[in-house]
Amino acid sequence: MGENLYSVCELTAEQQKAFNKLKKAYKECEKTGIYFANCYGSLMAFDKNLVAGYGDCTMTPDGEYTVELHNGCPADSMQIVNEWADDTHVLGLTKKGMKLYLSNEE
């Protein structure tokens, strides 16, 4: 990653404060025994006492038993941005973001 992309990915102070709250809430959820799984941008929450892992046909989940899911999962969940996998990653910049990106190339 080029050094000139760092300023494009920087949050404002207000955004950083909000993101820090989200990270703290995530840690609090983990402390209470929530196991998280991300399936194509849907962040699912499970009780770690009941669910030990999440996987697919090629990546067997942790746990003594497995249950195959066919039409999604009834877990408590919230839609988040889609995760990046092993693909080539691309950011879509606004005009302001592109101007900042290009100004850092000089």
Side-chain angles (χ1 to χ4, degrees):
M1 178 176 70
E3 294 287 322
N4 52 340
L5 195 53
Y6 282 100
S7 61
V8 175
C9 295
E10 193 172 48
L11 298 175
T12 66
E14 183 180 7
Q15 291 168 335
Q16 187 64 56
K17 185 177 177 182
F19 186 63
N20 289 344
K21 287 179 184 178
L22 177 62
K23 291 191 295 187
K24 182 179 179 186
Y26 185 88
K27 286 180 184 178
E28 288 177 20
C29 287
E30 287 185 314
K31 283 181 187 176
T32 67
I34 293 177
Y35 169 78
F36 287 106
N38 181 359
C39 183
Y40 299 112
S42 180
L43 184 62
M44 297 177 290
F46 300 96
D47 181 339
K48 281 186 179 181
N49 293 311
L50 304 173
V51 176
Y54 185 84
D56 58 29
C57 295
T58 61
M59 192 174 82
T60 307
D62 291 337
E64 296 177 65
Y65 310 97
T66 58
V67 176
E68 197 169 304
L69 306 171
H70 292 281
N71 294 311
C73 184
D76 194 11
S77 66
M78 62 185 252
Q79 200 62 30
I80 59 172
V81 294
N82 207 351
E83 79 283 354
W84 284 349
D86 298 348
D87 316 341
T88 300
H89 304 137
V90 179
L91 288 178
L93 302 180
T94 63
K95 284 184 182 181
K96 183 178 179 180
M98 188 61 167
K99 185 176 179 180
L100 182 59
Y101 175 76
L102 294 174
S103 71
N104 289 325
E105 283 190 336
E106 299 169 359

